[in-house]
Amino acid sequence: MHEFFYLYDPLCGWCYGAAPAVVKLELEPSVMLHPLATGLFAGGGRSMTPDFAAYAWKNDQRIAQLTGQVFSEAYREKVLGDPAGRFDSTAATRALTAVHLTEPAKELEAMHRIQLLRYVDGQDNTDPAVLVSVLRDLGLDEAVALLESDDPGVGEAMATRQAMAEKLMQGLGIRGVPALVRLEEGRPVALPNTILFEEPATLAARLGLRPDAEEDIR
């Protein structure tokens, strides 16, 4: 069994760009993948000023060209174009922590849906009510119940996971997300994040996950 940590933030455009590779990795039968929300963009609540929106859209176009991921006009108009919008992943990180506590195997699925909500559907994934609706649509009723009850355990778990992510990042010299960390004989080893933006079909071969991986990419 090959074990990895995947460090992410739900508002990170590059993490959205890495989604195809992450899905491919998660589906590998010999892989145990642990998603870990870093809270990198949680707190602060940067305003969606015209300058920041222009910077974000330019960056998003680079990601789209590299990965083929869609950044829709609805996202540009309704999210980046909303002067009342905030760039703060606190609510989304909290929602995904509730999923982790109740149905951990669904965390990545929920994260990907929250990403699509923003970048394709053009909806505000910083809004707690919108996030609860998404989790409910995914059948994650226990996570919804935790969020709606304002259970203090969610905040505690969120802080614990962020501390764990921070320790990994500091210890391995990781400066941003997405990041992939492999456990080798119990020791964490940071992998180049560029591996998450290559052709997903080559990922198993690049990571040496199975002997027949080379044949898969021919």
Side-chain angles (χ1 to χ4, degrees):
M1 183 65 68
H2 304 276
E3 198 167 357
F4 298 86
F5 283 100
Y6 173 60
L7 279 60
Y8 73 91
D9 187 286
L11 250 62
C12 166
W14 286 103
C15 296
Y16 171 58
V22 174
V23 169
K24 184 74 174 177
L25 185 59
E26 184 185 24
L27 292 175
E28 284 292 327
S30 66
V31 165
M32 183 179 295
L33 184 61
H34 306 287
L36 192 57
T38 63
L40 190 63
F41 300 128
R46 179 195 290 265
S47 299
M48 196 61 69
T49 64
D51 285 347
F52 179 69
Y55 167 79
W57 182 250
K58 182 177 180 181
N59 198 48
D60 295 336
Q61 297 316 291
R62 288 177 55 211
I63 300 167
Q65 291 173 3
L66 182 64
T67 67
Q69 290 286 79
V70 173
F71 293 84
S72 72
E73 283 299 320
Y75 156 67
R76 186 179 189 183
E77 294 173 7
K78 296 178 181 179
V79 177
L80 296 183
D82 180 6
R86 309 289 289 179
F87 189 79
D88 186 343
S89 66
T90 301
T93 303
R94 183 176 176 82
L96 289 164
T97 300
V99 175
H100 172 77
L101 289 172
T102 54
E103 295 191 53
K106 298 292 185 69
E107 182 179 347
L108 281 175
E109 180 185 359
M111 181 194 71
H112 295 319
R113 184 65 193 94
I114 287 170
Q115 289 172 330
L116 291 171
L117 185 77
R118 181 182 184 85
Y119 296 115
V120 177
D121 300 342
Q123 296 188 49
D124 182 7
N125 67 355
T126 71
D127 184 338
V130 172
L131 293 162
V132 163
S133 179
V134 170
L135 298 190
R136 187 173 282 117
D137 288 345
L138 291 173
L140 298 169
D141 296 334
E142 290 184 62
V144 169
L146 275 183
L147 293 172
E148 292 185 333
S149 69
D150 203 24
D151 189 310
V154 178
E156 292 166 5
M158 183 173 161
T160 297
R161 299 182 82 207
Q162 289 178 353
M164 182 178 181
E166 184 177 353
K167 183 177 180 180
L168 277 173
M169 294 176 77
Q170 289 183 348
L172 298 172
I174 297 171
R175 295 187 177 182
V177 292
L180 194 62
V181 175
R182 187 171 194 162
L183 289 181
E184 297 183 0
E185 297 182 352
R187 297 182 61 185
V189 176
L191 300 176
N193 65 0
T194 52
I195 203 169
L196 293 169
F197 304 109
E198 298 176 5
E199 173 56 47
T202 70
L203 189 59
R206 292 276 283 118
L207 293 173
L209 299 180
R210 46 194 170 89
D212 61 343
E214 292 287 353
E215 297 181 4
D216 290 350
I217 64 176
R218 291 174 185 164

